Amino acid sequence: MIHAFPCGTLPLDFVGTLRARRNDAPMEKLASAADLDAWFVESGLLPDARSSGARDLERAVELREAVYALVWARLHDRPLPEDPVATVNAYAAAAPLVPVLTDAGWSRVGGAGQALSQLAREAVEIVGGDQAALLRECGRPECTQVYLDHSRGHRREWCSMATCGSRMKAAAYRARQRADAEA
């Protein structure tokens, strides 16, 4: 598995395919069309993805950045920027994935464009709905992952306790140990 899904919501996990946005060299997890197909499969959005091309990858990055711009605006109580709104709305207006029933249960079928439409529709619901008030950005300075804070009291600080939370707690512990040793 090459992708991470700490948010519990696909559009925000998709935004997280560009890691450490504020660093000098952010980590691009969608470097190729094959990476995009891998994300679709690993996320469960499109279990049989293997046909994305260079244009699909360009469109995916365009959508990802538009969604991030909208999330950023919500996080900072700013008006939603017009161009990202138009971009996300255009993707959301396209045909979504088609659910199909099989002997094994259900699945989705379609192409990359339909998967992007599905992501855009879910992003519209998050950014434009009540869940926008739950948007948070990870408290680890090197991480820029956004997530929905469904914790009791809405005091979650990290995108994932297993990664960022663990690192931040370990760093705080080491700092306390150093301070105690110096005192």
Side-chain angles (χ1 to χ4, degrees):
M1 201 160 159
I2 62 173
H3 297 286
F5 302 91
C7 300
T9 179
L10 292 181
L12 299 181
D13 284 324
F14 191 65
V15 164
T17 59
L18 181 62
R19 303 254 172 80
R21 287 175 178 272
R22 288 185 294 272
N23 289 5
D24 291 336
M27 185 185 324
E28 177 62 74
K29 300 299 282 184
L30 295 180
S32 70
D35 291 341
L36 178 61
D37 283 339
W39 192 90
F40 287 148
V41 171
E42 292 172 19
S43 70
L45 183 62
L46 188 55
D48 195 28
R50 55 183 120 112
S51 61
S52 294
R55 179 69 182 126
D56 295 319
L57 180 61
E58 290 171 15
R59 295 180 72 230
V61 170
E62 176 186 44
L63 176 62
R64 178 189 69 195
E65 295 310 306
V67 171
Y68 180 74
L70 300 178
V71 167
W72 188 93
R74 284 291 190 238
L75 285 169
H76 296 92
D77 295 320
R78 303 280 171 87
L80 296 177
E82 289 181 26
D83 288 344
V85 166
T87 298
V88 170
N89 283 339
Y91 280 96
L97 294 169
V98 177
V100 293
L101 187 61
T102 68
D103 288 334
W106 76 279
S107 185
R108 295 180 184 106
V109 295
Q114 290 169 287
L116 295 175
S117 176
Q118 189 80 30
L119 288 169
R121 289 165 184 245
E122 292 178 29
V124 165
E125 291 176 10
I126 291 169
V127 173
D130 294 339
Q131 292 186 49
L134 302 176
L135 285 166
R136 304 285 185 273
E137 187 175 56
C138 184
R140 185 171 151 244
E142 299 82 22
C143 183
T144 54
Q145 182 70 55
V146 289
Y147 60 91
L148 294 175
D149 182 3
H150 290 290
S151 68
R152 184 177 12 190
H154 304 293
R155 295 172 29 175
R156 180 174 159 191
E157 297 179 50
W158 305 290
C159 61
S160 169
M161 188 59 205
T163 55
C164 291
S166 170
R167 290 175 187 166
M168 291 296 289
K169 286 187 171 201
Y173 174 78
R174 286 190 300 275
R176 284 191 308 275
Q177 294 300 315
R178 275 192 306 273
D180 288 347
E182 292 171 3

